[in-house]
Amino acid sequence: MTQPPRKIIIDTDPGQDDAIAILLAFASPEIDVLGLTAVAGNVPLALTQKNARIICELAGRSDVPVYAGCDRPLERKLVTAEHVHGKTGLDGPAMPDPVMPLAEGHGVDFIIETLRREAAHTVTLCPLGPLTNIAEAFRRAPDVAGRVQQIVLMGGAYFEVGNITPAAEFNIYVDPEAADIVFRSGVPIVVMPLDVTHKVLTTRARVEAFRALGTEVGRVCAEWSDFFERFDMEKYGSEGAPLHDPTVIAYLLAPGLFRGRHINVEIEVQSDLTRGMTVADWWGVTDRPANALFIGDVDAEGFFALLTERLGRL
Ligand code: BDR
Ligand code: CA
């Protein structure tokens, strides 16, 4: 018997890698995207919600509602990443302004209402940016955390430590208090940290494979990769950029591509020096209970084969 498609909400701050993740979800019949909720992160909310609509239209999915969520972290000033993603957050190929309207209502209310409406444990949350919207939903409506099927998120690092500071990954750093709420929520969590995303690099051959699809989506994904990889290639001297956020969707489609450990992960919220660090007990040196499946390894060739084949369907 074929399984019904898995219902997800993508919470996002596009971002070129967020965009490719969203396209991967749209291209996959195993997944039913109930809606996108935008959050402030890579760029301010006015741009992330607009970018989310641009991506829906590129995929021909203007039927999927896009909500604007929180415009700043729970307790801190917003930190953005134009130095990586460009002024618009989606720099690279010229994209038309979206025609589809923003959905009415707040993204956090959409998350709460959807979790209350759908049967318990049938909706998965896929955060690709700072965790502000998810934490705010759990804070405003404490009943909904217990209804989430799973959270599969991109954020944090253990072996790779940090990208926005020496100690922290961007998504967790921007809103550590929100991350702390999410990691303490009791929801089953799968984490795609830098440890795994730094293994899925946009090499020349992989970007050319996007272009060789010969489609609008293939061309745009290749040009997004061309744009955002310049930053990481200079920084790390690597042969491409980590394609962070699509790992979240790939995990839903093909969990066998990934390997990790069920461990305890806590978030540093006190120290100025290590703010947003994901203190991951990879070696099991404490007796703190496991609260996340922390991914450390991936079949990178399998990941790109899946991604490219799916993008070719759009
Ligand atoms: C994360 O930060 C953003 O810049 C990317 O979109 C990704 O979600 C990587 O640290
Ligand atoms: Ca992101």
Side-chain angles (χ1 to χ4, degrees):
M1 218 177 68
T2 51
Q3 297 266 0
R6 182 153 174 188
K7 294 176 185 172
I8 70 169
I9 295 173
I10 302 179
D11 187 69
T12 178
D13 63 336
Q16 294 88 353
D17 62 321
D18 301 68
I20 296 175
I22 294 165
L23 293 173
L24 175 60
F26 284 154
S28 298
E30 303 91 331
I31 290 177
D32 178 9
V33 183
L34 301 179
L36 305 186
T37 50
V39 68
N42 285 322
V43 285
L45 181 68
L47 289 169
T48 60
Q49 57 89 348
K50 177 180 170 190
N51 291 345
R53 289 181 291 137
I54 289 173
I55 298 156
C56 288
E57 290 190 353
L58 172 65
R61 292 302 306 273
S62 49
D63 58 305
V64 174
V66 174
Y67 293 85
C70 297
D71 66 357
R72 74 195 71 164
L74 297 182
E75 293 177 23
R76 315 232 181 199
K77 257 185 74 184
L78 178 64
V79 175
T80 53
E82 285 87 355
H83 58 293
V84 184
H85 300 276
K87 205 159 49 58
T88 67
L90 215 47
D91 278 19
M95 303 295 288
D97 277 348
V99 176
M100 68 180 276
L102 195 58
E104 272 176 40
H106 195 284
V108 169
D109 292 324
F110 172 73
I111 293 171
I112 294 170
E113 284 157 17
T114 304
L115 287 168
R116 285 182 177 158
R117 184 188 65 237
E118 300 288 337
H121 311 128
T122 62
V123 176
T124 292
L125 304 178
C126 298
L128 310 178
L131 289 158
T132 319
N133 286 341
I134 312 297
E136 185 57 18
F138 292 175
R139 252 189 0 184
R140 274 196 221 165
D143 58 298
V144 299
R147 301 180 65 80
V148 177
Q149 181 177 19
Q150 199 176 34
I151 294 175
V152 185
L153 67 88
M154 190 280 136
Y158 179 67
F159 293 98
E160 293 285 315
V161 196
N163 59 358
I164 185 76
T165 74
E169 181 278 329
F170 179 79
N171 289 342
I172 307 294
Y173 176 80
V174 171
D175 199 342
E177 284 74 20
D180 187 44
I181 290 172
V182 170
F183 277 83
R184 291 179 191 281
S185 67
V187 177
I189 300 176
V190 180
V191 184
M192 294 293 165
L194 298 181
D195 307 341
V196 67
T197 68
H198 282 183
K199 292 176 178 155
V200 287
L201 300 177
T202 56
T203 61
R204 274 304 83 212
R206 290 164 178 168
V207 175
E208 289 317 314
F210 292 161
R211 218 182 308 271
L213 291 171
T215 60
E216 177 69 354
V217 164
R219 177 186 68 80
V220 168
C221 288
E223 291 183 20
W224 278 333
S225 303
D226 289 341
F227 179 84
F228 81 81
E229 70 183 13
R230 88 219 175 282
F231 174 79
D232 286 297
M233 288 166 78
E234 266 170 42
K235 179 173 165 191
Y236 296 111
S238 55
E239 51 170 343
L243 208 46
H244 306 281
D245 294 338
T247 59
V248 165
I249 306 299
Y251 179 83
L252 300 180
L253 298 169
L257 293 174
F258 297 89
R259 252 175 309 284
R261 295 185 182 185
H262 285 278
I263 61 170
N264 177 268
V265 180
E266 304 210 356
I267 310 298
E268 174 56 53
V269 290
Q270 305 279 338
S271 157
D272 284 338
L273 188 64
T274 57
R275 157 186 171 184
M277 187 171 199
T278 42
V279 181
D281 190 7
W282 183 262
W283 300 112
V285 293
T286 75
D287 54 10
R288 295 195 286 259
N291 59 347
L293 173 59
F294 200 81
I295 303 295
D297 209 359
V298 58
D299 168 359
E301 287 304 328
F303 166 83
F304 274 96
L306 173 71
L307 176 61
T308 309
E309 186 273 322
R310 292 303 169 96
L311 292 177
R313 298 185 188 193
L314 290 175

